[in-house]
Amino acid sequence: MAITRRHLLQTGAVAALTPVMGTAAGIPAISSAQAQSGSEGPAWRHALSLFGDIKYPAGFQRFDYVNPDAPKGGVARIISLGTFDNFNIAVMGVKGSIAQAATMIYDALMSASQDEVSTEYGLLAEGASHPDDFSWVIYRLRKEARWHDGKPVTPEDVIFSLETLKKQSPFYGAYYRHVTKVEKSGERDVKFTFDVPGNRELPHIVGQLLVLPKHYWEGTDDQGRKRDISATTLEKPLGSGPYRIADFVAGRSVRLERVKDYWGANLPVRIGQNNFDELRSEYFRDNNVALEAFKADQADWIVENSAKQWATAYDFPAVTEKRVVKREFPINDLGRMQGFVLNLRREQFRDTRLRRAFNFAFDFEEMNKQLFYNQYKRIDSYFYGTELASSGLPEGQELEILQTVRDKVPPEVFTTPYTNPVGGNPEAVRANLREAMKLLKEAGFEVRERKLVDPSGKPVSVEILVQDPSSERIALFFKPSLERIGVTTSVRVVDDVQYENRIRSFDFDIITDVWGQSLSPGNEQREFWGSQTADQPGSKNTIGIKNPAVDALIDKVIFAKDRAGLVAATKALDRVLLWNFYVVPQFSYPYARYALWDRFGHAELPKYARSGLPSLWWYDVDKANRIGKRS
C-alpha cells in the first residue's frame, strides 16, 4: 500500500467501507444526503477497509493504542544510512531525509491504523464515497486542512499531486495507472475515475496519496527563480504534516521540528502521536561507523540489520549497565522476498535451467552458520512470512485459478511442491552441484577447461553488483560456489549514486533486491512483476519479467472479489514465480532489531506497528536523567 522504496506501504485487493454516522473530533459528519449524486447516491464513509471490518466507528476520539497524554517535547536523534541531495519527492532517486520523512512533512488523504490490517481513516479528507462497482471515488477535504503557510489544502492541490507524481515517478506511474481522470467535483470534493470497474482496492490506494502544494510549486523561490517540480532541489519544501524541515547540512544531516500550530493535531488519527519537538537525522555511509556513533551516544537508536553485529557488537558498557537496551520487535505487517536477481535482460539468464542451477549452487545453510550465527531462515516464497505464501500442492480455488494458465507455466507447478536445495555439509553440497551440472548439461551448457560455456561456446561470466560491505560479504560467499560450476564470477562494489544509476537503467548481471509485501497485495504486483514495467527505467521489476501467465495471475489478485479469492490468487502467483526461478532466494528474520538509549517511553505497541518509532514514542525526562546526559 504505497511506497516500497522505502516500501514501501503495499496495496491490497479487497475493499469494504463503512458509512459515516455522527461526528469525529468535532468535525461534522457527512450525511449520505450530501453525496454528489444526491440523497440516492453512494453513502459517504469515514473509513475504508480492504478486509471488510472497521474497528473504529464514526465519531471515535483516538486509536486505542496511543497515549493521549503523552508528553510533548524532547529531541530524538536518528541514524540514516546513505546520503541525500534532494527534497523533491516527485523525482525518482530521492534519498535519505525526504524518503524517510515524507509522511511527516506531507499529509495524505487518509491515515492507516496500526491495530488493523489495511484500514484507513480520514486525514486531509473527512470522507469518501464510491459506487458498488468501484468505478470511481470522491474524497471530500476537511475545511480546516492547511499548508504550513496557512493556505487551505484544495482539490486543485490533490489533482496537481496525482498528475505530477504519475508523470515524474515510474513507481507512482504504475501504482496509479488505473486512475484515468481526476477532477474537482465540488467545493472541497475531488473525484477519481478508474479505467475499469471491479478493482476493489483503487478507492483505498487513492487515499494514500501524499498531497503536494500546487501554489508552492508553481511559484518562485527566495531568489525569484521559478520552481521546477521535475528537478531536484534542496530548497526546504512546504508541507502540511506534523513536522517541517528546520535546517540541514546537505548530504549529512536534517533537523525536523514539530509544527506547533499543526492543523491536524487534534484529529482522531493524530492524537497521542508525533510527540518529539525535534527529529534529527544524521547520515552515515557505513554501518560500522554508524554503530560507533551510536555507542558514543551520538544517536538515540539504531536499527541493526546484521546478524553478526547483533550477536557480537553490542557488549559495550552501556548495554551491561542497562543504559542501552536491545529490543526485537515482531514483523507482523508485511512479508518479503529477498534474493539474488538474475537479470532476464541478459541473454544467458533466459534459460530457466541455468537460473535453477544457480539456486543449487547457493549453500545457504553454510552461509547462515559462518556469517549469521544461524539466525536466519531461507525464504521460500515471494510472500514469505504471511498466510499468502504457497505450500504443498495447489488445491481448491488456487488449483482452479492455475488451470486457467496451465499451458503457460512449468508443469512442476501442478506436480511438485517448491523447495529450496538444502546444503550445510559436504555430501549435500556435492549432490546439489551435481544437480546443477545436470541441469546445465540439459540446457546445452558444458565445462571446457574448467569454464562453463553456453551452447554457442561463449564463456558464462557474471558480475554481482553491490553497494555496501554487508552485501559484499554475501556476494563473496556465493562467488566460489558459482565458480565450482564453471561460472566466471566477479563482485563489484560501487558508490550509492553509481549503484542507483545502474539499477535504474538495468545495467547489471546480478544484484540483491527486496520486495516488501502487504497482507493484502494488489496493483503494486504489476510494478513488481508485470510485463509493462519490465522495460520502464527505474521500475521495481528489476528482474525483467515478461510472462503472460504472471500478468494473468496478477489480474486475478487485483480483481479478487473476496478475501478467499485474494489468498488463492496470490498463492497461485507465488507458485508460478517460484517455479520460474527468477531469483536465488536469500533469507529473512521475523524481527526488527533495535538498540536504544533508555530515555524514551511508549504505550503498548499495536500488532502492526513494529517498533512504532518515532511516532508512538515520547521523551521520558525521568529516564533520561537516570542514564545521564547525552554526549
Side-chain angles (χ1 to χ4, degrees):
M1 276 179 196
I3 305 171
T4 296
R5 290 198 192 294
R6 102 115 136 311
H7 191 229
L8 18 143
L9 301 169
Q10 303 297 330
T11 49
V14 184
L17 306 172
T18 294
V20 166
M21 297 182 293
T23 62
I27 308 301
I30 306 171
S31 69
S32 60
Q34 292 175 292
Q36 186 194 31
S37 301
S39 59
E40 297 181 358
W44 286 93
R45 310 160 191 273
H46 78 294
L48 306 101
S49 172
L50 295 178
F51 285 165
D53 294 326
I54 292 176
K55 177 177 180 179
Y56 298 96
F60 80 101
Q61 297 301 305
R62 62 176 176 84
F63 293 131
D64 290 346
Y65 50 83
V66 303
N67 175 8
D69 301 316
K72 303 289 186 182
V75 177
R77 301 164 305 162
I78 303 168
I79 285 174
S80 297
L81 294 180
T83 184
F84 67 93
D85 59 2
N86 178 32
F87 289 144
N88 179 7
I89 68 167
V91 178
M92 274 300 301
V94 169
K95 295 182 180 219
S97 64
I98 204 66
Q100 297 175 5
T103 55
M104 299 177 183
I105 296 171
Y106 300 105
D107 280 332
L109 293 172
M110 305 288 277
S111 180
S113 65
Q114 298 183 63
D115 56 352
E116 301 171 87
V117 175
S118 302
T119 305
E120 299 174 352
Y121 298 83
L123 182 51
L124 285 174
E126 64 181 13
S129 177
H130 72 77
D132 292 341
D133 67 357
F134 307 97
S135 58
W136 53 263
V137 66
I138 297 174
Y139 278 94
R140 178 163 294 172
L141 298 174
R142 297 182 188 272
K143 288 182 180 179
E144 68 273 31
R146 291 289 185 273
W147 298 105
H148 294 158
D149 63 2
K151 294 185 178 180
V153 179
T154 66
E156 287 78 9
D157 293 321
V158 179
I159 295 167
F160 170 79
S161 301
L162 181 77
E163 292 178 344
T164 298
L165 292 172
K166 284 184 67 175
K167 179 179 179 180
Q168 300 298 332
S169 165
F171 174 76
Y172 282 112
Y175 197 53
Y176 291 122
R177 66 188 294 266
H178 297 291
V179 183
T180 58
K181 187 178 181 181
V182 56
E183 58 188 323
K184 183 175 180 178
S185 58
E187 181 183 359
R188 290 182 285 118
D189 296 350
V190 185
K191 182 178 182 180
F192 301 84
T193 302
F194 309 130
D195 54 358
V196 294
N199 192 331
R200 301 169 64 91
E201 75 165 351
L202 289 177
H204 193 94
I205 68 171
V206 165
Q208 300 161 5
L209 179 70
L210 291 179
V211 179
L212 306 175
K214 181 181 181 183
H215 71 280
Y216 170 85
W217 283 105
E218 292 184 346
T220 56
D221 63 18
D222 292 341
Q223 308 300 316
R225 296 169 297 196
K226 185 173 176 56
R227 296 186 178 95
D228 182 0
I229 192 69
S230 67
T232 61
T233 179
L234 282 173
E235 183 183 10
K236 291 184 288 188
L238 174 67
S240 61
Y243 288 89
R244 61 164 62 96
I245 295 178
D247 51 54
F248 65 94
V249 177
R252 294 180 56 187
S253 64
V254 176
R255 181 170 68 90
L256 300 182
E257 63 180 5
R258 186 165 57 85
V259 178
K260 298 298 175 61
D261 60 349
Y262 170 49
W263 73 271
N266 294 320
L267 291 178
V269 296
R270 290 302 199 198
I271 292 288
Q273 303 180 59
N274 305 307
N275 301 310
F276 294 106
D277 276 349
E278 293 184 13
L279 299 171
R280 299 176 185 173
S281 292
E282 298 291 335
Y283 288 80
F284 298 87
R285 293 180 181 270
D286 184 275
N287 191 62
N288 292 323
V289 176
L291 177 58
E292 292 305 312
F294 170 76
K295 291 162 67 174
D297 199 9
Q298 299 298 308
D300 289 309
W301 64 78
I302 187 169
V303 182
E304 184 54 74
N305 294 319
S306 167
K308 178 183 178 182
Q309 294 283 82
W310 191 245
T312 63
Y314 290 84
D315 58 354
F316 53 99
V319 175
T320 305
E321 298 160 2
K322 300 189 184 309
R323 292 185 297 131
V324 167
V325 295
K326 295 173 67 177
R327 297 280 301 274
E328 291 191 336
F329 299 99
I331 300 173
N332 296 318
D333 57 333
L334 81 163
R336 67 190 273 127
M337 165 53 81
Q338 175 178 314
F340 289 110
V341 172
L342 310 178
N343 189 353
L344 299 184
R345 302 168 190 88
R346 301 290 199 253
E347 182 69 33
Q348 62 191 13
F349 288 130
R350 293 178 185 172
D351 194 300
T352 306
R353 291 163 293 188
L354 175 67
R355 302 196 299 268
R356 189 175 185 183
F358 274 46
N359 197 18
F360 273 106
F362 182 46
D363 187 0
F364 162 73
E365 287 71 24
E366 186 64 24
M367 175 186 286
N368 197 27
K369 180 171 64 177
Q370 289 190 25
L371 302 185
F372 305 137
Y373 295 79
N374 284 321
Q375 291 187 38
Y376 289 125
K377 300 292 185 183
R378 183 91 190 266
I379 289 175
D380 58 1
S381 168
Y382 281 74
F383 302 86
Y384 183 82
T386 74
E387 67 165 330
L388 304 163
S390 61
S391 61
L393 291 174
E395 57 185 21
Q397 193 172 358
E398 182 192 353
L399 179 57
E400 293 175 10
I401 291 170
L402 285 169
Q403 293 287 8
T404 65
V405 293
R406 189 175 193 114
D407 60 333
K408 299 181 181 68
V409 302
E412 293 91 343
V413 165
F414 298 93
T415 63
T416 310
Y418 177 86
T419 57
N420 287 309
V422 177
N425 61 72
E427 294 78 13
V429 170
R430 284 195 294 270
N432 288 337
L433 292 176
R434 284 195 297 269
E435 193 64 32
M437 296 309 301
K438 177 182 176 183
L439 288 165
L440 292 170
K441 184 176 181 181
E442 290 175 359
F445 294 83
E446 61 178 306
V447 176
R448 297 177 186 171
E449 299 179 352
R450 304 183 67 178
K451 300 294 183 183
L452 187 71
V453 298
D454 67 17
S456 69
K458 180 181 177 181
V460 177
S461 64
V462 299
E463 177 188 83
I464 305 177
L465 186 69
V466 300
Q467 68 177 141
D468 57 68
S470 60
S471 297
E472 183 183 19
R473 281 198 313 150
I474 297 167
L476 288 173
F477 187 93
F478 194 22
K479 179 178 184 289
S481 298
L482 292 175
E483 291 172 337
R484 289 184 69 180
I485 59 173
V487 178
T488 301
T489 308
S490 62
V491 177
R492 184 174 182 187
V493 184
V494 297
D495 63 30
D496 290 347
V497 174
Q498 284 182 288
Y499 189 83
E500 193 71 29
N501 288 336
R502 288 189 62 175
I503 300 306
R504 180 174 172 78
S505 60
F506 307 124
D507 180 19
F508 61 86
D509 296 331
I510 300 176
I511 59 169
T512 291
D513 206 349
V514 182
W515 295 267
Q517 295 285 7
S518 82
L519 303 181
S520 188
N523 283 287
E524 81 290 340
Q525 301 303 306
R526 287 195 173 121
E527 162 80 356
F528 294 170
W529 336 112
S531 297
Q532 70 272 24
T533 61
D535 298 322
Q536 185 176 9
S539 84
K540 192 61 177 171
N541 188 352
T542 48
I543 300 168
I545 299 173
K546 292 182 180 179
N547 185 324
V550 170
D551 292 337
L553 293 173
I554 291 172
D555 282 346
K556 296 287 188 183
V557 170
I558 291 173
F559 291 98
K561 296 184 182 301
D562 52 37
R563 179 66 184 172
L566 173 66
V567 172
T570 305
K571 288 184 175 182
L573 172 63
D574 181 37
R575 201 179 298 273
V576 170
L577 290 170
L578 288 169
W579 276 105
N580 274 285
F581 300 98
Y582 292 129
V583 303
V584 176
Q586 292 183 356
F587 40 81
S588 186
Y589 190 67
Y591 296 94
R593 308 180 189 95
Y594 282 73
L596 309 94
W597 287 90
D598 191 20
R599 50 175 63 101
F600 305 105
H602 64 84
E604 183 176 352
L605 296 175
K607 181 175 182 179
Y608 302 109
R610 212 173 306 178
S611 73
L613 283 164
S615 64
L616 300 180
W617 293 58
W618 58 84
Y619 188 78
D620 188 316
V621 176
D622 292 338
K623 281 188 172 183
N625 289 338
R626 281 198 297 272
I627 70 170
K629 293 183 178 180
R630 291 166 161 144
S631 301

